[in-house]
Amino acid sequence: MSQIKITSRMRSFCEDMEESFFRNYDGDGVLHEEKVHAKECDYACATYHRTSSDKGKTWSEWTKNFNDAEDGRHWQVEGSAEGDEYTGLSFNSVTDPVSGCRFGVGGSTYYLKGHNKGYFAMWGKGEDNLRSHGYWYVKHPDGREVTRMFELEEGGCDYDPKNPRNPGFLDKNRCFAGDIRTLPDGDICFNLFPTVRLACKLGGVDVNGFFPSSPDLHVAMIVVRAHWNAEKDDYDFTYSNPIMLSDLQSSRCIMEPHMTILPNGRWLLVVRGSNMQLDVWNTRIGKSAPGYKWYTFSDDGGRTFAPLMPWHFDTGEVIYSSASIHRFYRCPKNNKLYWIGNIIDDPSIIDGNEPRYPLQICQVDEEEGVLIKDTLTVIDTIRDGQTGVELSNFQLLEDPDTKELEMRMTKINFNGKTQEEGFWYSEAWEYFIEFPEN
């Protein structure tokens, strides 16, 4: 069997912050790069942008998007006595080939007490301090623009900067939206992530029996189809059944899904669960519960999904994995489907998000929707002198000419030292993955 070839190089290291790089090509072939600095978990304190018109041979100068050290916290709500922060709206969008509209989904998050206090109080005290809301956006060919909130329950209202803590905004329609794509039949597909409490309400499930531990802190998932209705000059939405795990299966329900459509028409969805135990969240999951990647499928175009199950190899062996991100990737050189993520040989050492090594790539059996174990290939793992490292939160980019795959990833949490303990050393790495022709 032909082998995948992987080369890598360290681009930069920082002693006192997490530095990450993200690249993408726009519709005109211009390469954009974002440089992101962080000194708080899941919060960027500064970002910079530059562009290249020759695939990275030459670059424009870095321009600052924001820098909290110079300009103050960029999400601060004016006049908030407790330091509340509001991200504002952001969208990812596609051009609809049917309507000619630009259609996008996204949303906002409101942090009670701000990220640096409210976010960490969620982890340390179990406080319900995050409020996310999902929105959709349409720009018509004639220039008309429409932005609307997803109203999944009655009694909600939009964000009002004059009354930011209005309960009708904070406590209703709590979800966020993302993962937008255009389907082969012309519809647009995306995901909604309502709180577990709201998902249970929408699905007719008793939250007190299914997920009583912390249903407002964690999210489930709903797959949505947007179909252009020319008579209405608007979109019709079709919602799937809620996709979720009980807190006896995953203490954080589900996170970070990735979905692909197989040649036989089956939609394959793999999600991240967690076996983390946290007293302040009143988690019910057992101490011996292993960590999995969970999977489900739909045979009716994403309208209904089967119950989630632990994912496995073609050998029948279960895939054990920490709570970490993952991706599907279809290689244009050989038209084979691959999956990239953390696979752990010893399930007894999985504790929530850890360990996040090795990082591996594996081909997918597209008839069964499972991984072909004989193709499992290590991208990176701990190196000489290391006892641990986080290999996760990677970004993929396909070279438009060579069709080779580039991956960018920042390594953190070396040798048991974590960011939460004030250890912010990081290394930004680049990987180049060359696939066989067949």
Side-chain angles (χ1 to χ4, degrees):
M1 182 178 293
S2 300
Q3 299 296 311
I4 295 173
K5 297 179 182 179
I6 301 167
T7 57
S8 63
R9 66 190 181 202
M10 186 171 70
R11 173 168 176 174
S12 69
F13 69 92
C14 289
E15 294 286 350
D16 60 350
M17 71 175 66
E18 181 181 332
E19 182 175 65
S20 301
F21 297 89
F22 303 91
R23 289 185 180 183
N24 70 281
Y25 288 94
D26 66 20
D28 297 321
V30 176
L31 181 59
H32 295 254
E33 182 167 60
E34 295 286 329
K35 178 170 61 176
V36 180
H37 289 165
K39 291 189 176 183
E40 294 174 24
C41 184
D42 295 333
Y43 176 89
C45 62
T47 69
Y48 303 86
H49 176 258
R50 66 177 183 172
T51 60
S52 173
S53 297
D54 54 11
K55 295 183 59 181
K57 295 182 178 66
T58 60
W59 290 92
S60 65
E61 295 295 321
W62 288 108
T63 59
K64 180 179 72 173
N65 297 321
F66 62 84
N67 185 324
D68 287 0
E70 298 172 357
D71 309 318
R73 293 182 74 91
H74 57 288
W75 288 339
Q76 194 76 46
V77 174
E78 185 175 354
S80 171
E82 294 192 77
D84 291 1
E85 294 173 11
Y86 176 63
T87 64
L89 294 177
S90 61
F91 295 94
N92 290 319
S93 61
V94 297
T95 297
D96 183 353
V98 178
S99 68
C101 297
R102 191 72 185 174
F103 181 93
V105 295
S108 66
T109 299
Y110 194 97
Y111 292 87
L112 298 170
K113 304 179 186 178
H115 180 278
N116 66 331
K117 292 183 180 180
Y119 176 84
F120 292 104
M122 180 189 75
W123 287 90
K125 300 178 181 180
E127 294 182 4
D128 180 18
N129 289 326
L130 275 66
R131 300 293 194 278
S132 295
H133 293 83
Y135 290 79
W136 57 284
Y137 160 86
V138 179
K139 183 174 182 180
H140 293 263
D142 61 8
R144 288 177 293 138
E145 296 187 34
V146 178
T147 301
R148 301 175 190 166
M149 180 190 291
F150 286 101
E151 298 184 34
L152 303 179
E153 55 185 337
E154 296 180 354
C157 63
D158 216 326
Y159 175 72
D160 180 358
K162 296 181 180 179
N163 186 18
R165 285 201 174 196
N166 184 343
F169 168 70
L170 289 184
D171 300 331
K172 295 289 185 178
N173 299 309
R174 293 177 61 180
C175 73
F176 59 94
D179 304 331
I180 190 169
R181 64 167 67 189
T182 302
L183 297 174
D185 63 7
D187 282 357
I188 296 171
C189 178
F190 56 92
N191 299 327
L192 290 181
F193 300 92
T195 64
V196 178
R197 184 183 301 279
L198 179 53
C200 285
K201 179 180 178 180
L202 296 172
V205 176
D206 179 11
V207 69
N208 293 318
F210 184 77
F211 206 107
S213 58
S214 47
D216 297 311
L217 301 184
H218 308 296
V219 299
M221 173 181 169
I222 295 172
V223 178
V224 188
R225 274 179 170 263
H227 179 78
W228 177 249
N229 187 324
E231 292 184 3
K232 292 169 50 179
D233 193 36
D234 204 350
Y235 285 90
D236 294 326
F237 294 138
T238 302
Y239 298 87
S240 76
N241 56 303
I243 302 164
M244 50 190 177
L245 295 166
S246 84
D247 58 359
L248 294 173
Q249 298 169 296
S250 169
S251 57
R252 299 178 66 188
C253 199
I254 67 170
M255 299 164 284
E256 295 167 352
H258 212 235
M259 186 163 58
T260 188
I261 301 177
L262 303 177
N264 60 14
R266 171 168 284 187
W267 291 28
L268 173 64
L269 172 68
V270 177
V271 304
R272 162 186 168 183
S274 178
N275 68 352
M276 173 182 288
Q277 292 190 314
L278 203 60
D279 289 342
V280 296
W281 288 354
N282 301 311
T283 50
R284 296 197 301 168
I285 198 164
K287 293 181 178 180
S288 60
Y292 298 126
K293 287 292 187 286
W294 298 80
Y295 85 111
T296 180
F297 55 84
S298 172
D299 288 326
D300 60 4
R303 294 168 179 85
T304 56
F305 285 83
L308 285 159
M309 301 160 283
W311 205 24
H312 55 276
F313 291 105
D314 57 341
T315 60
E317 299 167 88
V318 170
I319 296 167
Y320 294 108
S321 181
S322 52
S324 57
I325 71 166
H326 55 104
R327 292 287 185 273
F328 285 112
Y329 172 72
R330 184 172 296 280
C331 174
K333 292 178 65 175
N334 57 27
N335 200 36
K336 293 178 180 177
L337 181 66
Y338 297 87
W339 179 85
I340 300 172
N342 300 119
I343 296 177
I344 314 302
D345 290 335
D346 181 2
S348 69
I349 66 173
I350 298 176
D351 182 13
N353 295 357
E354 304 298 332
R356 292 193 178 189
Y357 67 86
L359 182 65
Q360 296 168 296
I361 184 169
C362 196
Q363 187 182 336
V364 179
D365 178 335
E366 297 195 59
E367 288 297 321
E368 299 294 332
V370 298
L371 292 185
I372 303 172
K373 189 171 184 182
D374 282 347
T375 66
L376 194 61
T377 303
V378 173
I379 296 175
D380 202 354
T381 188
I382 55 174
R383 303 197 174 193
D384 290 343
Q386 296 177 355
T387 59
V389 65
E390 182 172 305
L391 304 177
S392 186
N393 299 346
F394 55 86
Q395 187 230 8
L396 303 179
L397 180 67
E398 186 180 282
D399 187 297
D401 297 327
T402 67
K403 305 303 181 185
E404 300 301 342
L405 183 62
E406 302 173 10
M407 184 177 78
R408 286 170 179 82
M409 177 174 63
T410 297
K411 299 182 182 184
I412 59 172
N413 293 350
F414 290 85
N415 302 340
K417 297 181 179 179
T418 65
Q419 294 170 318
E420 288 78 5
E421 297 169 348
F423 181 78
W424 280 91
Y425 175 80
S426 68
E427 296 176 359
W429 283 72
E430 296 178 323
Y431 300 80
F432 305 90
I433 304 175
E434 183 179 348
F435 293 89
E437 295 285 349
N438 50 48

